[in-house]
Amino acid sequence: MATTRSAHTVWEGNLTEGTGTVTFDSSGIGEQAVSWPSRAEQANGKTSPEELIAAAHSSCFSMAFSNGLNSAGTPPTRLVTSADVTFQPGTGITGIHLTVEGTVPGIDEAAFVAAAEDAKANCPVSQALTGTTITLTAKLA
């Protein structure tokens, strides 16, 4: 069964001086302020499209990685994943780096890294972001 998730943004003003509010419609978890300075300079308590992409990517990758490990008979005890999305004003998103550290009984480092690479290539968010270079650092805890 397909699902659709929705959010919307209300933006007021021009790019550099304006501000917006992102509302998470599907989950109802609230709103977050967004602005150009939060995107290109300091966050100052506001989010950015890149931070939202990082949240989506780190959570999707973790789910795909957990599923892959479990399917191989080595379910993880814990995975800690971060995603760093690099934004260059005037150019756009220039790369995403995933970092994962995991506790997975019964697996060696090589198998862990191979499973992480598979999850990186096959998680739906990675596939949606194929126009961007995605790199990975993976290690057992």
Side-chain angles (χ1 to χ4, degrees):
M1 174 190 326
T3 59
T4 301
R5 300 293 182 251
S6 302
H8 76 274
T9 300
V10 175
W11 186 267
E12 296 177 351
N14 66 29
L15 173 63
T16 59
E17 297 169 9
T19 60
T21 303
V22 177
T23 302
F24 299 93
D25 299 322
S26 300
S27 63
I29 60 173
E31 302 175 338
Q32 291 296 315
V34 63
S35 69
W36 177 256
S38 71
R39 185 176 196 184
E41 299 166 19
Q42 296 298 316
N44 293 324
K46 296 179 178 141
T47 194
S48 68
E50 291 72 28
E51 184 177 41
L52 297 170
I53 289 170
H57 206 176
S58 67
S59 60
C60 183
F61 171 86
S62 294
M63 290 179 197
F65 193 20
S66 175
N67 186 54
L69 290 166
N70 189 64
S71 295
T74 53
T77 302
R78 179 179 168 96
L79 299 173
V80 179
T81 305
S82 62
D84 298 306
V85 177
T86 302
F87 174 74
Q88 177 64 49
T91 301
I93 294 172
T94 58
I96 301 171
H97 185 74
L98 297 169
T99 304
V100 63
E101 185 172 322
T103 303
V104 184
I107 196 170
D108 65 19
E109 192 83 21
F112 181 82
V113 170
E117 287 288 350
D118 184 67
K120 178 189 83 154
N122 293 303
C123 93
V125 171
S126 287
Q127 292 188 352
L129 299 171
T130 56
T132 298
T133 301
I134 302 169
T135 57
L136 172 71
T137 302
K139 67 178 185 172
L140 287 169

